[in-house]
């Protein structure tokens, strides 16, 4: 966090100084510098849950991010730094999460290169505060590059690569009816080189028949390199030892639908994954050891609604979600959630939710979950 604060002060100071000098006529500041805009947000969290034998409650610094956006001619760019307790309490990390440039001259064909959100699911690219819940859906976290089933280091749904996207087929009012996006990525998550030099290809398309509605589908094919496994055949001389198996294939698809208009948001998605994964406890930690006991398929879904009780002031919400680590009910985790989001003002809100959790991996499946968050933007 200290490093992030120092970077923030230095960059802000240099920019403000340059603008001040320009206003006095001392130095002519280039237009691209004038176009730089700084923003950010913080998310403070309290959680309680009571699984049998494991009750706990804790305060947490969920996220702090500093964002710089700019424009040079027909190219938009973004740099985003993140401070979080990703490694656990007392072990804060500061890392680069976004760094990309995008040619935006034509809305029908835009090209983005760098590190950014993968072109997979409606929920993945949603702002963590706007998303409205204590976290992204379980299935999105596990199958979209957050704490991924494949073992990839938690990457906030991002990767390094290049993507083309656009909005096409405008109606009589000029509103596009179709959006497409296709990207080629390393397949290793953020700030990591490609281990097997085989690229992931991810694409999506959705139709927007009426304002506020999106109906879409996504596909993902790729691999993870540097994987290993423990030999389980007693007749093998290497029995019990960990051996390298190189790359492991990955194929996923997602079906999505959303209505988002006038502060009403309803969204549902189903994701299916084929490809060996690591132990659930190692997901998102950069593990490379395959856990064959969970099979090579997983899936999950969610559906939620957020509606205004008092317009621009108070929203009520409900969400049902399930994730199946081995695509069977014995490995499922389901949550039934309800809550409220209260807006003190445009940039400050308090979120509350209660969840009943059914985790089939536990001896006593059901337990309670509470989350309280204070989120702010600047």
């Amino acid at each position: 966090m200290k490093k992030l604060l120092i970077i923030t002060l230095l960059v802000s100071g240099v920019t403000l100084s340059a603008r001040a000098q320009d206003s006095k006529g001392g130095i002519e500041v280039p237009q691209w510098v004038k176009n730089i805009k700084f923003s950010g947000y913080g998310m403070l969290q309290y959680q309680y849950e009571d699984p049998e034998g494991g009750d706990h409650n804790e305060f947490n610094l969920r996220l702090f991010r500093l964002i710089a956006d700019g424009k040079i001619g027909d190219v938009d760019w973004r740099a985003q730094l993140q401070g979080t307790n990703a490694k656990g309490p007392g072990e804060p990390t500061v890392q680069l999460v976004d760094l990309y440039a995008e040619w935006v001259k034509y809305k029908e064909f835009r090209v983005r290169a760098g590190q950014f959100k993968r072109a997979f699911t409606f929920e993945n690219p949603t702002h963590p505060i706007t998303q409205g819940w204590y976290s992204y859906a379980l299935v999105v976290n596990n199958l979209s590059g957050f704490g991924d089933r494949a073992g990839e280091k938690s990457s906030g749904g991002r990767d390094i690569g290049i993507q083309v996207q656009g909005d096409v087929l405008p109606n009589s009012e000029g509103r596009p009816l179709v959006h497409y996006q296709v990207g080629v990525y390393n397949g290793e998550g953020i700030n990591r080189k490609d281990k097997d030099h085989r690229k992931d290809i991810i694409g999506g398309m959705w139709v927007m028949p009426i304002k506020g509605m999106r109906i879409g589908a996504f596909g993902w094919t790729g691999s993870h390199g540097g994987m290993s496994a423990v030999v389980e055949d007693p007749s093998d001389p290497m029995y019990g030892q960990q051996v390298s198996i190189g790359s492991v294939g990955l194929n996923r698809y997602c079906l999505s639908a959303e209505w988002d208009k006038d502060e009403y948001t309803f969204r549902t998605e189903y994701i299916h994954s084929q490809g060996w994964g690591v132990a659930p406890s190692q997901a998102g930690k950069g593990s490379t050891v395959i856990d064959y006991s969970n099979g090579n398929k997983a899936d999950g879904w969610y559906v939620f609604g957020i509606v205004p009780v008092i317009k621009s002031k108070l929203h009520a919400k409900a969400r049902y979600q399930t994730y199946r680590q081995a695509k069977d009910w014995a490995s499922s985790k389901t949550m039934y959630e309800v809550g409220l989001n209260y807006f003190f003002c445009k940039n400050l809100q308090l979120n509350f939710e209660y969840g009943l959790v059914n985790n089939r991996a536990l001896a006593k499946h059901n337990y309670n979950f509470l989350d309280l968050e204070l989120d702010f933007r600047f």
Side-chain angles (χ1 to χ4, degrees):
M1 288 292 189
K2 184 177 179 181
K3 293 180 181 178
L4 186 59
L5 179 59
I6 292 173
I7 293 171
T8 302
L9 294 174
L10 286 174
V11 175
S12 300
V14 169
T15 304
L16 291 173
S17 175
R19 289 181 174 174
Q21 289 176 331
D22 177 55
S23 65
K24 296 177 182 178
I27 297 177
E28 183 178 352
V29 179
Q31 185 60 45
W32 70 268
V33 174
K34 295 180 181 179
N35 289 337
I36 298 176
K37 297 180 180 179
F38 291 97
S39 62
Y41 59 92
M43 307 181 76
L44 312 177
Q45 185 178 57
Y46 169 80
Q47 283 189 348
Y48 166 83
E49 55 185 351
D50 62 351
E52 186 175 29
D55 293 26
H56 71 270
N57 69 91
E58 60 187 7
F59 292 103
N60 181 42
L61 305 179
R62 181 181 169 189
L63 279 179
F64 175 74
R65 285 183 176 166
L66 173 69
I67 307 164
D69 290 300
K71 187 176 185 64
I72 306 174
D74 294 323
V75 175
D76 291 348
W77 61 267
R78 165 169 284 198
Q80 183 172 199
L81 291 171
Q82 171 179 287
T84 182
N85 285 329
K87 292 184 179 180
E91 295 187 80
T93 61
V94 176
Q95 62 181 342
L96 182 68
V97 290
D98 281 317
L99 182 62
Y100 64 82
E102 183 171 16
W103 183 63
V104 295
K105 185 173 183 179
Y106 303 106
K107 64 181 180 180
E108 298 85 2
F109 183 81
R110 306 191 298 274
V111 183
R112 178 180 295 185
Q115 182 165 285
F116 49 89
K117 287 280 190 176
R118 290 176 166 116
F120 194 71
T121 81
F122 283 167
E123 181 150 306
N124 180 17
T126 306
H127 192 290
I129 295 179
T130 305
Q131 191 263 348
W133 298 91
Y134 83 93
S135 177
Y136 294 93
L138 294 170
V139 66
V140 174
N141 276 320
N142 283 279
L143 301 180
S144 192
F146 288 78
D148 202 284
R149 179 181 191 271
E152 172 189 300
K153 180 182 176 183
S154 182
S155 299
R158 295 169 169 84
D159 206 342
I160 304 173
I162 185 168
Q163 172 184 291
V164 296
Q165 62 179 332
D167 297 303
V168 296
L169 301 180
N171 63 10
S172 59
E173 299 174 347
R175 184 179 62 81
L177 299 176
V178 176
H179 175 88
Y180 72 90
Q181 52 191 45
V182 181
V184 180
Y185 311 85
N186 278 344
E188 303 294 344
I190 62 175
N191 306 321
R192 296 168 72 91
K193 294 182 179 179
D194 196 341
K195 291 182 180 179
D196 61 2
H197 305 291
R198 296 166 56 186
K199 299 295 180 281
D200 284 14
I201 300 175
I202 305 174
M205 178 177 290
W206 57 82
V207 296
M208 300 169 280
I210 58 178
K211 190 174 182 180
M213 176 180 286
R214 296 191 294 171
I215 302 173
F218 301 83
W220 177 348
T221 184
S223 65
H224 284 282
M227 302 299 287
S228 61
V230 176
V231 177
E232 299 179 345
D233 183 359
S235 64
D236 193 309
M238 300 294 289
Y239 174 66
Q241 298 184 44
Q242 184 174 310
V243 297
S244 173
I245 58 173
S247 297
V248 174
L250 172 70
N251 294 288
R252 293 175 178 172
Y253 68 83
C254 174
L255 303 176
S256 311
E258 179 186 74
W259 170 266
D260 187 5
K261 186 180 179 184
D262 299 329
E263 299 185 30
Y264 288 85
T265 303
F266 301 92
R267 183 162 64 243
T268 183
E269 295 191 284
Y270 171 80
I271 306 176
H272 181 276
S273 176
Q274 180 273 322
W276 299 108
V278 302
S281 62
Q282 298 303 306
K285 297 181 179 180
S287 174
T288 60
V289 183
I290 291 176
D291 177 13
Y292 290 110
S293 66
N294 280 309
N296 73 336
K297 293 182 180 180
D299 71 350
W301 54 88
Y302 71 89
V303 56
F304 77 69
I306 301 177
V307 301
V309 177
I310 303 174
K311 190 173 177 63
S312 303
K313 201 69 177 178
L314 181 65
H315 290 173
K317 58 186 180 181
R319 178 169 69 173
Y320 160 68
Q321 57 171 326
T322 294
Y323 172 63
R324 303 193 299 179
Q325 174 73 17
K327 202 185 175 183
D328 59 26
W329 287 105
S331 66
S332 68
K333 182 176 181 180
T334 298
M335 295 185 70
Y336 307 88
E337 301 157 84
V338 293
L340 296 169
N341 296 338
Y342 179 78
F343 299 82
F344 297 98
C345 61
K346 180 181 178 181
N347 293 328
L348 180 65
Q349 67 188 72
L350 185 66
N351 304 334
F352 167 79
E353 65 187 86
Y354 164 78
L356 175 63
V357 184
N358 179 275
N359 188 342
R360 299 293 181 87
L362 303 179
K364 184 178 179 181
H365 300 331
N366 298 328
Y367 61 91
N368 299 294
F369 171 86
L370 292 173
D371 181 87
L372 186 67
E373 283 193 21
L374 181 65
D375 300 336
F376 61 90
R377 310 186 198 209
F378 57 88

